[in-house]
C-alpha cells in the first residue's frame, strides 16, 4: 500500500508529492528525537481490523521504551477491552468488563497476563511496536532522507496545529517502502500524527499525539522498562 491515503484532508490543494526542502528534511530528521526529548507523549492508537478495530488510549515513555493504556473495541465486541502495557518484546494485558476511558495512573498489582509481542500477523502488536519506535535518542540523517524517498505531500491541521504532511524514506532493509509511513509535523519538528501501512490490513494504523494529558508510566508487575 502506498501513500495515497495521506492526501485525504490536507488543505494545501495540489502540489504534492514533491522532494523535501532542506527545512522539511531537518524537521523530519528530528521528529522522533523530539519525542525522546519530551520523555513521553500521550497517544491514541487506532488499530485496524478486518472485523472489529481497536483503540488504545494511553502514554508512551520513549526513554523507557514502555507503553501503557486502555484498549476499547470500536464495535460491539468488547472481548479485548482492558488495560495494556507493552515493551518492544512483550505485551501484558489486564482484561476488564467495563474498561475506563483512561487507564488508572497506578496499574493494578494483579490480574495481568503476559505474552511475547508478535513480530507479524497481529495488527495490534504491529501498532504497539510502531508506537514505541517513534522515539529515538538521536536525530536521523537529514541528507539521507530525501535520497531514500522521503517526500512532502501537503499541509494540514491537527487539533489546531498547522502541520506539514511528509512521508518517510524506504526502510534500510526493505527497498521500495518509501511512503508507507506518513508524518504530520509542526514547524518545530513536533510529531502530531502518524499513519503507517501494515500488512494484511486495508486501512493504516493511525497514532495521534497529545489527545489527552500525558501521565508518566508506572510499570505493571512483570514488565521491565529500559532505563
Amino acid at each position: 500500500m502506498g501513500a495515497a491515503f495521506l492526501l485525504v484532508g490536507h488543505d494545501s490543494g495540489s502540489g504534492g508529492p514533491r522532494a523535501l526542502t532542506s527545512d522539511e528534511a531537518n524537521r523530519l530528521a528530528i521528529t522522533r528525537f523530539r519525542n525522546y526529548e519530551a520523555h513521553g507523549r500521550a497517544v491514541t492508537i487506532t488499530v485496524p481490523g478486518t472485523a472489529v478495530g481497536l483503540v488504545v488510549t494511553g502514554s508512551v515513555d520513549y526513554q523507557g521504551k514502555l507503553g501503557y493504556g486502555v484498549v476499547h473495541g470500536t464495535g460491539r465486541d468488547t472481548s479485548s477491552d482492558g488495560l495494556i502495557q507493552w515493551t518492544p518484546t512483550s505485551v501484558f494485558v489486564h482484561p476488564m468488563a467495563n474498561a475506563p476511558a483512561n487507564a488508572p495512573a497506578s496499574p493494578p498489582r494483579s490480574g495481568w497476563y503476559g505474552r511475547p509481542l508478535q513480530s507479524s500477523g497481529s495488527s495490534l502488536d504491529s501498532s504497539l511496536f510502531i508506537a514505541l519506535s517513534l522515539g529515538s535518542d538521536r536525530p536521523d540523517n537529514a541528507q539521507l532522507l530525501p535520497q531514500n524517498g522521503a517526500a512532502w505531500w501537503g499541509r494540514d491541521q491537527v487539533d489546531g496545529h498547522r502541520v506539514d504532511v511528509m512521508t518517510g524514506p524506504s526502510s534500510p532493509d526493505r527497498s521500495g517502502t518509501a511512503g508507507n509511513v506518513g508524518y504530520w509535523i509542526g514547524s518545530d519538528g513536533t510529531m502530531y500524527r502518524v499513519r503507517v501501512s501494515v500488512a494484511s490490513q486495508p486501512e493504516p494504523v493511525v497514532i495521534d499525539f497529545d489527545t489527552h494529558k500525558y501521565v508518566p508510566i508506572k510499570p505493571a508487575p512483570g514488565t521491565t522498562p529500559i532505563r
Side-chain angles (χ1 to χ4, degrees):
M1 182 178 183
F5 62 82
L6 294 173
L7 293 175
V8 178
H10 77 69
D11 61 7
S12 65
S14 60
R18 61 159 171 74
L20 298 177
T21 65
S22 59
D23 172 70
E24 291 158 359
N26 286 332
R27 282 188 282 147
L28 182 58
I30 66 170
T31 194
R32 294 194 305 138
F33 181 61
R34 284 275 190 253
N35 283 344
Y36 185 87
E37 278 188 319
H39 197 107
R41 302 282 303 277
V43 297
T44 296
I45 307 169
T46 303
V47 183
T50 52
V52 177
L54 300 172
V55 175
V56 180
T57 305
S59 299
V60 173
D61 180 339
Y62 283 107
Q63 294 186 17
K65 290 293 183 181
L66 181 66
Y68 172 54
V70 60
V71 182
H72 289 279
T74 57
R76 294 184 178 182
D77 185 356
T78 61
S79 61
S80 297
D81 287 12
L83 304 179
I84 190 166
Q85 196 161 118
W86 70 99
T87 73
T89 58
S90 302
V91 177
F92 300 83
V93 295
H94 185 289
M96 299 180 74
N98 296 293
N102 294 288
S106 295
R109 302 308 301 170
S110 61
W112 292 91
Y113 301 88
R115 61 172 177 79
L117 185 145
Q118 299 179 43
S119 59
S120 62
S122 168
S123 56
L124 173 60
D125 286 20
S126 294
S127 302
L128 299 177
F129 185 82
I130 289 166
L132 283 183
S133 71
L134 295 175
S136 175
D137 62 0
R138 68 198 67 185
D140 294 315
N141 187 321
Q143 292 182 331
L144 293 180
L145 295 175
Q147 295 176 23
N148 293 324
W152 179 91
W153 279 78
R155 295 188 176 92
D156 201 354
Q157 287 200 24
V158 179
D159 292 332
H161 300 283
R162 292 193 63 83
V163 296
D164 285 284
V165 183
M166 309 178 203
T167 53
S170 291
S171 300
D173 56 343
R174 293 169 58 200
S175 62
T177 55
N180 282 4
V181 183
Y183 300 90
W184 277 245
I185 300 174
S187 59
D188 64 348
T190 298
M191 187 185 297
Y192 290 105
R193 175 176 294 158
V194 171
R195 290 185 182 177
V196 185
S197 300
V198 292
S200 75
Q201 294 296 336
E203 299 297 323
V205 174
V206 180
I207 302 173
D208 286 298
F209 293 87
D210 302 339
T211 51
H212 50 282
K213 183 179 179 181
Y214 172 73
V215 178
I217 300 173
K218 297 181 180 179
T223 60
T224 307
I226 301 169
R227 295 296 178 190

